[in-house]
Amino acid sequence: MPVRLSGFLHSALGNRTSLQLLRPALVPAPTASHQLEGTGLPRGERRKLSAQMNKNSSNIMALAPNTSNKRETVCIFGTGDFGRALGQKMIQSGYPVVFGSRSPQTSNLIPKEAEVLSHTEAAQKAAIIIIAIQRQHYDFLTPLAEILRGKVLVDVSNNLKINQYPESNAEYLAQLVPGAKVVKAFNTVSAWALQSGTLDASRQVFVCGDDMEAKQMVMDIVRALGLTPLDQGSLLAAQEIENYPLQLFPMWKFPIFLSLGLTAFFFFYCLIRDVIYSYVYENKDYSFFIAISIPNRICPVVALILLALVYLPGVLAAIIQLYRGTKYSRFPDWLDKWMLCRKQLGLVALAFAFLHVFYTLIIPIRYYVRWRNEDGIISKALSNKTDPFNNTNGWLSDSYLALGILGFFFFVLLGITSLPSVSNSVNWREFRFVQSKLGYLTLILCTAHTLVYGGNRFLSPSSYRWYLPNAYMLSLIIPCIVLILKFVLIFPCLDRQLTQIRQGWERNPQYSEQSHYIINKSAV
């Protein structure tokens, strides 16, 4: 080591011991030729012996990483689509795989790197056995109970119906093989997702089991495959995990059914007012309104109602908390479910708003609109009449369009912030500001857009055909109720008390204790 470097290190570290600790990192290890110096051997023999020592050390260094990265053998019972896909993925991740099959003959579908044996022989070669077989074929495991004792059995099966059996498949497997350590995993991953590299599917894998060590071994395999394990607790959670892949948009049912119901109601409502009424009293056939005009009336109406329904449960929850004087009492079940699907309600409302925008953009190219404009121009030219510019109507028209554009902009912003990739990048205060403050601003702008569109037509008798108001008038009922209630709740006398309640203050602690007792009793 140069003198300057040595002196610098000595002055920086302050003592000789620290310098010696750094020496292995700074000074290269002595070679074999250096180690053989001073042994008294001739130079030629020292060269041969040095080359042999270097060769042996390089072999040791080359073998060391392979030994540390070696993974234990995994057995898979079942050579179906999922078993083969999982086996291929595990082989790519460095796991030796052996398949257990009724017919152990090698098939072209089985990965070449895997070994195919009988169930008994395959089970003896691995400590972790993945059961990629349907529940109705589990009976063959009973004679293997002694061989499977102490081994980790991973149940990956699913059922055809939710709660098809009294107990989960994993619990049933644990009853058949009581000496094994059963873990539920991989049932939320499809064979297609494994074959395509899990790039276009969810990487989450729910894992549950009673043995912590066995569960950890399975979670290590999940991570090695490039997936994300989620520990769901004991084997009692297996039935919920098995039901999860069978659920079809569970949080979307209410928003979709509600939007379809509203769409059907307003479709027939507009059909009666705009088509049937004109045909009966004016002898005009406006049936072509069904294609563009009526949908363009329905979409904004449904969008505004659904947007108001996103914020109505929050207002109702605040009123209930003020009435009870505590936050420690459960809301009614219907309100709980309503609040859980607010995000889906908002996204469905945004979809209807987009449809309204698209329908509006094509209005100028419609034949009916072009014919009506040309006919009006020709009629005025023949009669030599012109309508003077009305400044009030100009303000109403521009204000109506401006409010609609701003409302739609904030509506889209709400939809973007509800995406997981965006919501995960903001803190709770920022998310709450966007979804609550900007959300109410969006509701105000969209409601004002509809009010300005109506203008003075609210008082016009011609707007009430068969005593039925326009559809947009009906759409204002729920938004106005929500905004009025929210305006009342932000009064300082109510807002201060509501803030205290949400921070843990209770008006009647005895009532809270009773509700705590009811909640705990129902949970048991």
Side-chain angles (χ1 to χ4, degrees), residues 310-365:
V310 171
Y311 295 96
L312 181 57
V315 173
L316 296 178
I319 294 174
I320 291 175
Q321 287 180 337
L322 284 172
Y323 173 75
R324 294 176 175 175
T326 179
K327 72 171 184 177
Y328 298 109
S329 180
R330 288 184 60 180
F331 294 125
D333 290 338
W334 59 268
L335 185 57
D336 269 336
K337 295 177 181 178
W338 189 354
M339 295 182 73
L340 288 174
C341 66
R342 286 181 294 178
K343 173 183 175 180
Q344 289 76 12
L345 277 172
L347 292 176
V348 174
L350 180 59
F352 276 93
F354 266 107
L355 287 176
H356 173 52
V357 171
F358 294 147
Y359 276 122
T360 304
L361 291 176
I362 66 171
I363 285 179
I365 64 174

Side-chain angles (χ1 to χ4, degrees), residues 76-386:
I76 300 178
F77 280 0
T79 55
D81 294 338
F82 185 82
R84 296 195 308 270
L86 183 58
Q88 181 65 44
K89 187 69 176 176
M90 297 185 73
I91 290 171
Q92 293 173 355
S93 302
Y95 282 93
V97 174
V98 56
F99 282 91
S101 176
R102 292 172 298 178
S103 52
Q105 293 82 9
T106 305
S107 171
N108 294 331
L109 300 175
I110 302 295
K112 296 179 180 179
E113 299 85 352
E115 190 178 4
V116 184
L117 302 173
S118 65
H119 291 125
T120 304
E121 295 173 333
Q124 293 172 345
K125 284 199 167 189
I128 300 178
I129 302 174
I130 298 175
I131 313 296
I133 299 172
Q134 295 296 329
R135 171 179 174 143
Q136 54 268 28
H137 305 300
Y138 281 179
D139 295 339
F140 80 95
L141 296 171
T142 306
L144 303 176
E146 194 59 36
I147 299 175
L148 300 178
R149 182 176 298 276
K151 296 184 181 293
V152 179
L153 301 186
V154 184
D155 180 73
V156 301
S157 63
N158 284 319
N159 295 320
L160 299 176
K161 299 178 182 178
I162 295 178
N163 297 327
Q164 185 174 354
Y165 300 101
E167 72 283 331
S168 66
N169 295 344
E171 291 173 308
Y172 176 69
L173 179 62
Q175 295 172 6
L176 287 179
V177 192
K181 305 171 185 177
V182 177
V183 177
K184 185 74 183 183
F186 292 112
N187 70 303
T188 56
V189 182
S190 65
W192 173 84
L194 293 172
Q195 291 171 352
S196 62
T198 68
L199 297 176
D200 300 322
S202 175
R203 294 176 180 268
Q204 294 182 348
V205 176
F206 299 114
V207 181
C208 72
D210 295 332
D211 190 281
M212 289 299 298
E213 184 180 355
K215 193 161 51 173
Q216 188 59 47
M217 293 170 65
V218 176
M219 292 173 70
D220 290 341
I221 294 177
V222 173
R223 292 189 189 95
L225 300 184
L227 303 170
T228 305
L230 295 178
D231 190 351
Q232 298 297 302
S234 69
L235 209 60
L236 294 174
Q239 189 154 25
E240 183 179 353
I241 295 176
E242 291 173 3
N243 289 337
Y244 179 78
L246 302 176
Q247 297 175 351
L248 183 63
F249 304 114
M251 302 305 298
W252 289 87
K253 288 183 178 179
F254 173 69
I256 290 176
F257 286 141
L258 178 62
S259 60
L260 291 177
L262 289 172
T263 301
F265 170 77
F266 282 107
F267 174 79
F268 289 108
Y269 187 87
C270 293
L271 185 68
I272 292 172
R273 286 192 76 260
D274 301 331
V275 178
I276 298 178
Y277 179 88
S278 299
Y279 185 79
V280 172
Y281 284 93
E282 301 173 4
N283 198 23
K284 294 181 180 179
D285 184 9
Y286 288 140
S287 58
F288 60 91
F289 278 9
I290 295 175
I292 300 291
S293 298
I294 290 180
N296 198 29
R297 290 188 178 96
I298 294 172
C299 289
V301 167
V302 176
L304 183 58
I305 293 176
L306 292 180
L307 180 61
L309 291 177
V310 171
Y311 295 96
L312 181 57
V315 173
L316 296 178
I319 294 174
I320 291 175
Q321 287 180 337
L322 284 172
Y323 173 75
R324 294 176 175 175
T326 179
K327 72 171 184 177
Y328 298 109
S329 180
R330 288 184 60 180
F331 294 125
D333 290 338
W334 59 268
L335 185 57
D336 269 336
K337 295 177 181 178
W338 189 354
M339 295 182 73
L340 288 174
C341 66
R342 286 181 294 178
K343 173 183 175 180
Q344 289 76 12
L345 277 172
L347 292 176
V348 174
L350 180 59
F352 276 93
F354 266 107
L355 287 176
H356 173 52
V357 171
F358 294 147
Y359 276 122
T360 304
L361 291 176
I362 66 171
I363 285 179
I365 64 174
R366 293 178 60 197
Y367 170 75
Y368 171 71
V369 175
R370 288 187 286 111
W371 171 83
R372 189 176 61 181
N373 291 337
E374 293 171 359
D375 184 66
I377 294 172
I378 295 173
S379 299
K380 290 179 180 179
L382 292 176
S383 61
N384 196 22
K385 291 182 179 180
T386 58

Side-chain angles (χ1 to χ4, degrees), residues 1 19-29:
M1 179 182 293
L19 182 60
Q20 290 174 347
L21 289 174
L22 278 178
R23 181 178 179 85
L26 297 174
V27 181

Side-chain angles (χ1 to χ4, degrees), residues 24-39:
L26 297 174
V27 181
T31 61
S33 60
H34 289 122
Q35 293 176 3
L36 292 175
E37 287 181 359
T39 57

Side-chain angles (χ1 to χ4, degrees), residues 9-76:
L9 288 173
H10 191 279
S11 60
L13 297 175
N15 56 51
R16 185 176 179 181
T17 307
S18 300
L19 182 60
Q20 290 174 347
L21 289 174
L22 278 178
R23 181 178 179 85
L26 297 174
V27 181
T31 61
S33 60
H34 289 122
Q35 293 176 3
L36 292 175
E37 287 181 359
T39 57
L41 293 174
R43 184 183 298 271
E45 292 184 8
R46 276 190 296 176
R47 285 182 178 176
K48 291 181 181 179
L49 190 56
S50 172
Q52 186 65 29
M53 291 173 64
N54 289 334
K55 183 178 179 182
N56 292 339
S57 63
S58 65
N59 289 340
I60 292 172
M61 292 297 294
L63 289 174
N66 293 337
T67 348
S68 60
N69 292 336
K70 186 178 180 181
R71 302 183 187 274
E72 58 181 327
T73 303
V74 177
C75 172
I76 300 178

